[in-house]
Amino acid sequence: MSRKPIIAANWKMNMTPSETSAFLEPFLSTFSEPTSVDIVIAPPFISLPKAAETVTDNPAVALSAQNMSHEASGAFTGEVSAAMLKEVPVEYVILGHSERRSLYGEDDAVINKKVKATLEAGFKPILCIGESLEERDGGQLEAVLTTQLEGSLADITAEQMADVVIAYEPVWAIGTGRTATPEQAQETQAFVRSVLTKLFGDDVAGATRIQYGGSVKPGNAGELIGQPDIDGFLVGGASLDPSSFADIVKAGAAG
Ligand code: PGA
């Protein structure tokens, strides 16, 4: 089954509004026509309106938030709601990133509420999963990924899965310069797809896009995208430079 690759820039807590414009102007002139990959930029909340202003009418690039509250509105200091993101607007929302899980205590139950809230609001969640090095070395890889998928996707229907993107990001490869080998990433992502088959059936599993994330760079993007179960990337550090992110997108489009 052919799946359109999706390459997303996760800027994390980088890029002020003015830095966002400075990045996007040259980047958007390179990608002004639809390409064979979906390109997604996820700036911090404060820079999203500036990004939306700059991206307007560019058919090649979509915007994503890096998180969203599952609550609709009210006394939740520091949180951002679906209605707020709709006014930007964004198309995608990254959920369950390992930094949210480990630094801010998000567990699968809360991530599941967020997945439901994003889908109900008409956004496409990019659901992150991944194991620590300790878990991989301790033989827990498959159990950890299964628990994360079952918990985060509880009560999600096969129909709703059409809008869900999974990002497999081994925690030990994030920001460390240590990428999973193409074989390791492929083997793990094939396993992730097999869990999706159990949960939702072959058709959904075959159609769901699974990104790889963790120290993706222009130099390794080509061999990673060549793997059959790698359908794009979630890129942190290397997405902060327009030419390096453009090279990763080009590698994805050529793959
Ligand atoms: P990295 O981050 O590319 O800097 O390793 C990836 C991510 O956390 O999404």
Side-chain angles (χ1 to χ4, degrees), residues 8-11 14-31 39-43 50-51 54-55 61 63 235-247 249:
N10 175 13
W11 284 353
N14 298 291
M15 298 287 204
T16 65
S18 60
E19 288 166 345
T20 296
S21 309
F23 177 109
L24 285 175
E25 277 152 22
F27 184 80
L28 294 174
S29 63
T30 313
F31 298 102
I39 306 170
V40 179
I41 309 270
K50 180 59 83 182
T54 318
V55 165
V61 177
L63 294 180
V235 188
S239 75
L240 296 173
D241 172 68
S243 70
S244 116
F245 187 57
D247 286 346
V249 171

Side-chain angles (χ1 to χ4, degrees), residues 10 12 97 99 169 173-175 214-216 234-237:
N10 175 13
K12 308 190 181 184
H97 190 279
E99 288 147 18
E169 299 202 300
I174 296 177
S215 299
V216 175
L234 185 55
V235 188

